[in-house]
Amino acid sequence: MSIETIRRRRIEVLVDAPLARRVVDHALAVGIAGYTLMPTLEGQGGSGHWTDDQLSGAQSKLMFLSVTNAAKADAFVDRISPLLDSYGLVLLLSDVDVVRANKF
C-alpha cells in the first residue's frame, strides 16, 4: 500500500515572545489558519547568545510553525518581510511532503 503525499511549504519564524501575536495575525490575514507556537530555551546567532529568562521573560522567544500551500506562504512572506530586519526575526521556508493533504 502506497501512502499518497502532497507538497506544501513549512514556515518557521523565530520571534520575540511579545511580537508573536503580530506574526500570528499576519498568518491569519492571508488565510493560514493552522499554526503552532513553541517555546524555545536558548540559542546563538548574529547578536550573540540568548537564553529564556524565566523570571522576567525579557528575552523569551517563540517558534511559530505552520504548514500551508505555496500561495499562502508567499503572501505571508510578503506581509512579514518589513518586520524581518527591524525586529531581527528569523524566517525559514522549506518544502515538505505531507500526508492527509486536506489538513493543510
Side-chain angles (χ1 to χ4, degrees):
M1 176 166 133
S2 177
I3 296 175
E4 188 175 326
T5 62
I6 190 163
R7 180 64 45 107
R8 291 289 186 247
R9 298 286 281 162
R10 178 181 170 128
I11 302 168
E12 297 170 85
V13 181
L14 182 65
V15 58
D16 292 332
L19 296 171
R21 187 73 236 170
R22 285 182 73 182
V23 172
V24 169
D25 288 345
H26 284 301
L28 295 174
V30 298
I32 298 172
Y35 67 90
T36 300
L37 286 174
M38 298 176 286
T40 61
L41 298 177
E42 69 177 281
Q44 185 165 313
S47 299
H49 182 263
W50 57 268
T51 186
D52 185 18
D53 179 357
Q54 295 289 320
L55 225 45
S56 71
Q59 291 188 359
S60 294
K61 297 186 185 307
L62 297 173
M63 181 65 74
F64 169 91
L65 170 66
S66 186
V67 176
T68 190
N69 63 45
K72 289 179 184 178
D74 290 345
F76 175 78
V77 170
D78 287 344
R79 285 186 66 102
I80 203 168
S81 289
L83 304 177
L84 296 177
D85 287 333
S86 56
Y87 291 106
L89 303 180
V90 175
L91 170 64
L92 305 171
L93 298 171
S94 55
D95 289 327
V96 295
D97 293 323
V98 300
V99 178
R100 299 189 313 162
N102 61 318
K103 300 288 271 178
F104 304 95

mmCIF file of all heavy atoms in Angstrom, residues 6-44:
data_model
loop_
_atom_site.group_PDB
_atom_site.id
_atom_site.type_symbol
_atom_site.label_atom_id
_atom_site.label_comp_id
_atom_site.label_asym_id
_atom_site.label_seq_id
_atom_site.Cartn_x
_atom_site.Cartn_y
_atom_site.Cartn_z
ATOM 1 N N ILE A 6 1.445 15.108 -0.569
ATOM 2 C CA ILE A 6 1.346 16.317 -1.388
ATOM 3 C C ILE A 6 2.370 17.326 -0.885
ATOM 4 O O ILE A 6 2.682 17.365 0.304
ATOM 5 C CB ILE A 6 -0.088 16.900 -1.371
ATOM 6 C CG1 ILE A 6 -0.212 18.001 -2.430
ATOM 7 C CG2 ILE A 6 -0.467 17.393 0.001
ATOM 8 C CD1 ILE A 6 -1.649 18.334 -2.778
ATOM 9 N N ARG A 7 2.903 18.128 -1.785
ATOM 10 C CA ARG A 7 3.940 19.106 -1.451
ATOM 11 C C ARG A 7 3.300 20.353 -0.854
ATOM 12 O O ARG A 7 2.331 20.892 -1.382
ATOM 13 C CB ARG A 7 4.717 19.466 -2.717
ATOM 14 C CG ARG A 7 5.843 20.462 -2.581
ATOM 15 C CD ARG A 7 7.015 20.042 -1.727
ATOM 16 N NE ARG A 7 7.525 18.728 -1.907
ATOM 17 C CZ ARG A 7 8.677 18.411 -2.498
ATOM 18 N NH1 ARG A 7 9.438 19.341 -3.005
ATOM 19 N NH2 ARG A 7 9.060 17.161 -2.583
ATOM 20 N N ARG A 8 3.835 20.803 0.258
ATOM 21 C CA ARG A 8 3.396 22.031 0.930
ATOM 22 C C ARG A 8 4.632 22.808 1.374
ATOM 23 O O ARG A 8 5.754 22.343 1.221
ATOM 24 C CB ARG A 8 2.517 21.713 2.148
ATOM 25 C CG ARG A 8 1.162 21.124 1.805
ATOM 26 C CD ARG A 8 0.261 22.174 1.166
ATOM 27 N NE ARG A 8 -1.087 21.685 0.954
ATOM 28 C CZ ARG A 8 -1.626 21.475 -0.224
ATOM 29 N NH1 ARG A 8 -0.934 21.692 -1.324
ATOM 30 N NH2 ARG A 8 -2.872 21.059 -0.317
ATOM 31 N N ARG A 9 4.417 24.006 1.922
ATOM 32 C CA ARG A 9 5.513 24.857 2.413
ATOM 33 C C ARG A 9 5.455 24.911 3.933
ATOM 34 O O ARG A 9 4.395 25.134 4.517
ATOM 35 C CB ARG A 9 5.398 26.270 1.865
ATOM 36 C CG ARG A 9 5.500 26.371 0.373
ATOM 37 C CD ARG A 9 6.884 26.179 -0.158
ATOM 38 N NE ARG A 9 7.635 27.405 0.011
ATOM 39 C CZ ARG A 9 8.954 27.478 -0.039
ATOM 40 N NH1 ARG A 9 9.674 26.410 -0.218
ATOM 41 N NH2 ARG A 9 9.561 28.619 0.111
ATOM 42 N N ARG A 10 6.579 24.696 4.563
ATOM 43 C CA ARG A 10 6.712 24.801 6.010
ATOM 44 C C ARG A 10 7.292 26.175 6.312
ATOM 45 O O ARG A 10 8.287 26.580 5.711
ATOM 46 C CB ARG A 10 7.630 23.709 6.536
ATOM 47 C CG ARG A 10 7.878 23.773 8.033
ATOM 48 C CD ARG A 10 8.827 22.656 8.448
ATOM 49 N NE ARG A 10 9.250 22.845 9.815
ATOM 50 C CZ ARG A 10 9.168 21.902 10.748
ATOM 51 N NH1 ARG A 10 8.675 20.722 10.442
ATOM 52 N NH2 ARG A 10 9.584 22.143 11.958
ATOM 53 N N ILE A 11 6.654 26.881 7.227
ATOM 54 C CA ILE A 11 7.089 28.217 7.639
ATOM 55 C C ILE A 11 7.521 28.139 9.097
ATOM 56 O O ILE A 11 6.782 27.621 9.936
ATOM 57 C CB ILE A 11 5.938 29.241 7.524
ATOM 58 C CG1 ILE A 11 5.397 29.308 6.106
ATOM 59 C CG2 ILE A 11 6.395 30.608 8.015
ATOM 60 C CD1 ILE A 11 4.087 30.074 5.998
ATOM 61 N N GLU A 12 8.703 28.654 9.381
ATOM 62 C CA GLU A 12 9.186 28.749 10.756
ATOM 63 C C GLU A 12 9.663 30.178 10.978
ATOM 64 O O GLU A 12 10.409 30.714 10.160
ATOM 65 C CB GLU A 12 10.341 27.786 11.001
ATOM 66 C CG GLU A 12 9.958 26.328 10.838
ATOM 67 C CD GLU A 12 11.155 25.410 10.856
ATOM 68 O OE1 GLU A 12 11.594 25.026 11.962
ATOM 69 O OE2 GLU A 12 11.662 25.104 9.755
ATOM 70 N N VAL A 13 9.226 30.773 12.070
ATOM 71 C CA VAL A 13 9.651 32.132 12.398
ATOM 72 C C VAL A 13 10.073 32.140 13.859
ATOM 73 O O VAL A 13 9.280 31.825 14.745
ATOM 74 C CB VAL A 13 8.528 33.173 12.185
ATOM 75 C CG1 VAL A 13 9.040 34.580 12.510
ATOM 76 C CG2 VAL A 13 7.975 33.116 10.767
ATOM 77 N N LEU A 14 11.331 32.503 14.114
ATOM 78 C CA LEU A 14 11.805 32.709 15.477
ATOM 79 C C LEU A 14 11.520 34.159 15.823
ATOM 80 O O LEU A 14 11.993 35.073 15.148
ATOM 81 C CB LEU A 14 13.302 32.409 15.591
ATOM 82 C CG LEU A 14 13.886 32.543 16.987
ATOM 83 C CD1 LEU A 14 13.286 31.504 17.935
ATOM 84 C CD2 LEU A 14 15.401 32.398 16.943
ATOM 85 N N VAL A 15 10.724 34.361 16.864
ATOM 86 C CA VAL A 15 10.222 35.703 17.176
ATOM 87 C C VAL A 15 10.280 35.946 18.676
ATOM 88 O O VAL A 15 10.075 35.026 19.469
ATOM 89 C CB VAL A 15 8.772 35.861 16.635
ATOM 90 C CG1 VAL A 15 7.834 34.835 17.214
ATOM 91 C CG2 VAL A 15 8.244 37.260 16.865
ATOM 92 N N ASP A 16 10.571 37.181 19.059
ATOM 93 C CA ASP A 16 10.484 37.556 20.475
ATOM 94 C C ASP A 16 9.044 37.387 20.918
ATOM 95 O O ASP A 16 8.103 37.761 20.205
ATOM 96 C CB ASP A 16 10.931 38.999 20.686
ATOM 97 C CG ASP A 16 12.422 39.200 20.433
ATOM 98 O OD1 ASP A 16 13.180 38.238 20.622
ATOM 99 O OD2 ASP A 16 12.812 40.311 20.038
ATOM 100 N N ALA A 17 8.857 36.829 22.096
ATOM 101 C CA ALA A 17 7.514 36.494 22.587
ATOM 102 C C ALA A 17 6.517 37.656 22.483
ATOM 103 O O ALA A 17 5.377 37.438 22.063
ATOM 104 C CB ALA A 17 7.592 35.971 24.019
ATOM 105 N N PRO A 18 6.907 38.900 22.817
ATOM 106 C CA PRO A 18 5.930 39.986 22.722
ATOM 107 C C PRO A 18 5.436 40.267 21.297
ATOM 108 O O PRO A 18 4.379 40.855 21.109
ATOM 109 C CB PRO A 18 6.686 41.195 23.271
ATOM 110 C CG PRO A 18 7.764 40.633 24.120
ATOM 111 C CD PRO A 18 8.153 39.344 23.456
ATOM 112 N N LEU A 19 6.191 39.826 20.280
ATOM 113 C CA LEU A 19 5.808 40.069 18.882
ATOM 114 C C LEU A 19 5.084 38.883 18.249
ATOM 115 O O LEU A 19 4.639 38.968 17.103
ATOM 116 C CB LEU A 19 7.043 40.394 18.050
ATOM 117 C CG LEU A 19 7.786 41.669 18.422
ATOM 118 C CD1 LEU A 19 9.091 41.750 17.669
ATOM 119 C CD2 LEU A 19 6.919 42.874 18.152
ATOM 120 N N ALA A 20 4.967 37.796 18.966
ATOM 121 C CA ALA A 20 4.384 36.580 18.394
ATOM 122 C C ALA A 20 2.964 36.807 17.894
ATOM 123 O O ALA A 20 2.576 36.291 16.838
ATOM 124 C CB ALA A 20 4.414 35.453 19.413
ATOM 125 N N ARG A 21 2.199 37.592 18.602
ATOM 126 C CA ARG A 21 0.810 37.844 18.177
ATOM 127 C C ARG A 21 0.765 38.526 16.817
ATOM 128 O O ARG A 21 -0.122 38.247 15.997
ATOM 129 C CB ARG A 21 0.103 38.701 19.232
ATOM 130 C CG ARG A 21 -1.383 38.879 18.976
ATOM 131 C CD ARG A 21 -2.134 37.593 19.270
ATOM 132 N NE ARG A 21 -2.886 37.190 18.089
ATOM 133 C CZ ARG A 21 -3.489 36.038 17.923
ATOM 134 N NH1 ARG A 21 -3.432 35.107 18.834
ATOM 135 N NH2 ARG A 21 -4.161 35.771 16.834
ATOM 136 N N ARG A 22 1.715 39.406 16.536
ATOM 137 C CA ARG A 22 1.754 40.066 15.222
ATOM 138 C C ARG A 22 2.022 39.062 14.108
ATOM 139 O O ARG A 22 1.429 39.130 13.030
ATOM 140 C CB ARG A 22 2.819 41.161 15.191
ATOM 141 C CG ARG A 22 2.390 42.397 15.947
ATOM 142 C CD ARG A 22 3.399 43.499 15.880
ATOM 143 N NE ARG A 22 3.441 44.124 14.564
ATOM 144 C CZ ARG A 22 4.282 45.095 14.245
ATOM 145 N NH1 ARG A 22 5.126 45.564 15.149
ATOM 146 N NH2 ARG A 22 4.279 45.617 13.048
ATOM 147 N N VAL A 23 2.913 38.118 14.366
ATOM 148 C CA VAL A 23 3.201 37.081 13.376
ATOM 149 C C VAL A 23 1.947 36.248 13.123
ATOM 150 O O VAL A 23 1.583 35.980 11.979
ATOM 151 C CB VAL A 23 4.382 36.199 13.832
ATOM 152 C CG1 VAL A 23 4.570 35.003 12.909
ATOM 153 C CG2 VAL A 23 5.666 37.026 13.904
ATOM 154 N N VAL A 24 1.275 35.857 14.188
ATOM 155 C CA VAL A 24 0.032 35.086 14.061
ATOM 156 C C VAL A 24 -1.012 35.889 13.282
ATOM 157 O O VAL A 24 -1.681 35.354 12.387
ATOM 158 C CB VAL A 24 -0.511 34.678 15.451
ATOM 159 C CG1 VAL A 24 -1.918 34.116 15.350
ATOM 160 C CG2 VAL A 24 0.436 33.681 16.117
ATOM 161 N N ASP A 25 -1.161 37.160 13.599
ATOM 162 C CA ASP A 25 -2.143 37.999 12.897
ATOM 163 C C ASP A 25 -1.852 38.078 11.401
ATOM 164 O O ASP A 25 -2.774 38.044 10.580
ATOM 165 C CB ASP A 25 -2.181 39.401 13.507
ATOM 166 C CG ASP A 25 -2.827 39.424 14.882
ATOM 167 O OD1 ASP A 25 -3.511 38.432 15.262
ATOM 168 O OD2 ASP A 25 -2.639 40.439 15.597
ATOM 169 N N HIS A 26 -0.571 38.169 11.030
ATOM 170 C CA HIS A 26 -0.211 38.189 9.609
ATOM 171 C C HIS A 26 -0.562 36.857 8.946
ATOM 172 O O HIS A 26 -1.024 36.836 7.803
ATOM 173 C CB HIS A 26 1.270 38.506 9.421
ATOM 174 C CG HIS A 26 1.607 39.946 9.614
ATOM 175 N ND1 HIS A 26 1.049 40.958 8.879
ATOM 176 C CD2 HIS A 26 2.462 40.559 10.483
ATOM 177 C CE1 HIS A 26 1.532 42.130 9.266
ATOM 178 N NE2 HIS A 26 2.382 41.906 10.251
ATOM 179 N N ALA A 27 -0.337 35.760 9.650
ATOM 180 C CA ALA A 27 -0.689 34.452 9.095
ATOM 181 C C ALA A 27 -2.193 34.337 8.881
ATOM 182 O O ALA A 27 -2.652 33.910 7.814
ATOM 183 C CB ALA A 27 -0.191 33.341 10.026
ATOM 184 N N LEU A 28 -2.951 34.721 9.884
ATOM 185 C CA LEU A 28 -4.409 34.650 9.770
ATOM 186 C C LEU A 28 -4.922 35.539 8.646
ATOM 187 O O LEU A 28 -5.871 35.186 7.940
ATOM 188 C CB LEU A 28 -5.055 35.034 11.099
ATOM 189 C CG LEU A 28 -4.777 34.088 12.280
ATOM 190 C CD1 LEU A 28 -5.345 34.669 13.576
ATOM 191 C CD2 LEU A 28 -5.310 32.699 12.016
ATOM 192 N N ALA A 29 -4.291 36.695 8.457
ATOM 193 C CA ALA A 29 -4.727 37.649 7.433
ATOM 194 C C ALA A 29 -4.601 37.096 6.016
ATOM 195 O O ALA A 29 -5.333 37.523 5.123
ATOM 196 C CB ALA A 29 -3.938 38.953 7.562
ATOM 197 N N VAL A 30 -3.669 36.156 5.803
ATOM 198 C CA VAL A 30 -3.502 35.584 4.457
ATOM 199 C C VAL A 30 -4.166 34.211 4.333
ATOM 200 O O VAL A 30 -3.978 33.518 3.338
ATOM 201 C CB VAL A 30 -2.012 35.506 4.044
ATOM 202 C CG1 VAL A 30 -1.395 36.893 3.998
ATOM 203 C CG2 VAL A 30 -1.231 34.565 4.943
ATOM 204 N N GLY A 31 -4.932 33.830 5.340
ATOM 205 C CA GLY A 31 -5.681 32.587 5.266
ATOM 206 C C GLY A 31 -4.999 31.364 5.848
ATOM 207 O O GLY A 31 -5.458 30.239 5.662
ATOM 208 N N ILE A 32 -3.897 31.561 6.551
ATOM 209 C CA ILE A 32 -3.236 30.446 7.230
ATOM 210 C C ILE A 32 -3.925 30.264 8.572
ATOM 211 O O ILE A 32 -3.780 31.083 9.469
ATOM 212 C CB ILE A 32 -1.729 30.708 7.423
ATOM 213 C CG1 ILE A 32 -1.045 30.847 6.065
ATOM 214 C CG2 ILE A 32 -1.096 29.603 8.256
ATOM 215 C CD1 ILE A 32 0.411 31.292 6.141
ATOM 216 N N ALA A 33 -4.693 29.198 8.693
ATOM 217 C CA ALA A 33 -5.493 29.003 9.901
ATOM 218 C C ALA A 33 -4.804 28.112 10.924
ATOM 219 O O ALA A 33 -5.065 28.217 12.116
ATOM 220 C CB ALA A 33 -6.844 28.402 9.539
ATOM 221 N N GLY A 34 -3.917 27.241 10.478
ATOM 222 C CA GLY A 34 -3.264 26.314 11.391
ATOM 223 C C GLY A 34 -1.839 26.748 11.691
ATOM 224 O O GLY A 34 -1.067 27.047 10.778
ATOM 225 N N TYR A 35 -1.498 26.785 12.958
ATOM 226 C CA TYR A 35 -0.139 27.140 13.362
ATOM 227 C C TYR A 35 0.112 26.603 14.764
ATOM 228 O O TYR A 35 -0.806 26.228 15.490
ATOM 229 C CB TYR A 35 0.086 28.655 13.334
ATOM 230 C CG TYR A 35 -0.714 29.401 14.375
ATOM 231 C CD1 TYR A 35 -0.192 29.633 15.645
ATOM 232 C CD2 TYR A 35 -2.001 29.844 14.103
ATOM 233 C CE1 TYR A 35 -0.935 30.300 16.611
ATOM 234 C CE2 TYR A 35 -2.744 30.513 15.057
ATOM 235 C CZ TYR A 35 -2.209 30.737 16.301
ATOM 236 O OH TYR A 35 -2.956 31.382 17.257
ATOM 237 N N THR A 36 1.378 26.581 15.139
ATOM 238 C CA THR A 36 1.784 26.205 16.489
ATOM 239 C C THR A 36 2.829 27.210 16.950
ATOM 240 O O THR A 36 3.717 27.579 16.180
ATOM 241 C CB THR A 36 2.403 24.787 16.502
ATOM 242 O OG1 THR A 36 1.430 23.859 16.023
ATOM 243 C CG2 THR A 36 2.842 24.381 17.901
ATOM 244 N N LEU A 37 2.715 27.651 18.192
ATOM 245 C CA LEU A 37 3.745 28.468 18.821
ATOM 246 C C LEU A 37 4.441 27.595 19.856
ATOM 247 O O LEU A 37 3.793 27.044 20.740
ATOM 248 C CB LEU A 37 3.143 29.695 19.508
ATOM 249 C CG LEU A 37 2.670 30.812 18.608
ATOM 250 C CD1 LEU A 37 1.965 31.897 19.420
ATOM 251 C CD2 LEU A 37 3.836 31.417 17.834
ATOM 252 N N MET A 38 5.758 27.490 19.735
ATOM 253 C CA MET A 38 6.530 26.639 20.642
ATOM 254 C C MET A 38 7.540 27.473 21.413
ATOM 255 O O MET A 38 8.212 28.333 20.831
ATOM 256 C CB MET A 38 7.263 25.567 19.839
ATOM 257 C CG MET A 38 6.333 24.643 19.093
ATOM 258 S SD MET A 38 7.198 23.453 18.052
ATOM 259 C CE MET A 38 7.748 24.502 16.710
ATOM 260 N N PRO A 39 7.679 27.213 22.703
ATOM 261 C CA PRO A 39 8.691 27.929 23.480
ATOM 262 C C PRO A 39 10.089 27.452 23.086
ATOM 263 O O PRO A 39 10.265 26.325 22.618
ATOM 264 C CB PRO A 39 8.370 27.552 24.923
ATOM 265 C CG PRO A 39 7.654 26.250 24.826
ATOM 266 C CD PRO A 39 6.914 26.271 23.512
ATOM 267 N N THR A 40 11.051 28.315 23.245
ATOM 268 C CA THR A 40 12.442 27.964 22.991
ATOM 269 C C THR A 40 13.230 28.147 24.277
ATOM 270 O O THR A 40 12.822 28.906 25.162
ATOM 271 C CB THR A 40 13.040 28.841 21.880
ATOM 272 O OG1 THR A 40 12.987 30.200 22.291
ATOM 273 C CG2 THR A 40 12.271 28.683 20.577
ATOM 274 N N LEU A 41 14.358 27.493 24.385
ATOM 275 C CA LEU A 41 15.154 27.559 25.604
ATOM 276 C C LEU A 41 16.350 28.486 25.487
ATOM 277 O O LEU A 41 16.609 29.291 26.374
ATOM 278 C CB LEU A 41 15.619 26.158 26.002
ATOM 279 C CG LEU A 41 14.496 25.173 26.320
ATOM 280 C CD1 LEU A 41 15.075 23.802 26.618
ATOM 281 C CD2 LEU A 41 13.663 25.688 27.489
ATOM 282 N N GLU A 42 17.093 28.357 24.412
ATOM 283 C CA GLU A 42 18.251 29.217 24.214
ATOM 284 C C GLU A 42 18.744 29.070 22.794
ATOM 285 O O GLU A 42 18.323 28.181 22.057
ATOM 286 C CB GLU A 42 19.371 28.899 25.202
ATOM 287 C CG GLU A 42 20.048 27.562 24.987
ATOM 288 C CD GLU A 42 21.197 27.351 25.947
ATOM 289 O OE1 GLU A 42 22.278 27.912 25.698
ATOM 290 O OE2 GLU A 42 20.993 26.644 26.946
ATOM 291 N N GLY A 43 19.657 29.952 22.412
ATOM 292 C CA GLY A 43 20.228 29.883 21.086
ATOM 293 C C GLY A 43 21.373 30.865 20.944
ATOM 294 O O GLY A 43 21.728 31.587 21.887
ATOM 295 N N GLN A 44 21.932 30.888 19.753
ATOM 296 C CA GLN A 44 23.021 31.798 19.463
ATOM 297 C C GLN A 44 22.942 32.180 18.001
ATOM 298 O O GLN A 44 22.639 31.344 17.146
ATOM 299 C CB GLN A 44 24.367 31.139 19.769
ATOM 300 C CG GLN A 44 25.525 32.088 19.589
ATOM 301 C CD GLN A 44 26.786 31.550 20.227
ATOM 302 O OE1 GLN A 44 26.737 31.097 21.360
ATOM 303 N NE2 GLN A 44 27.882 31.614 19.500
#
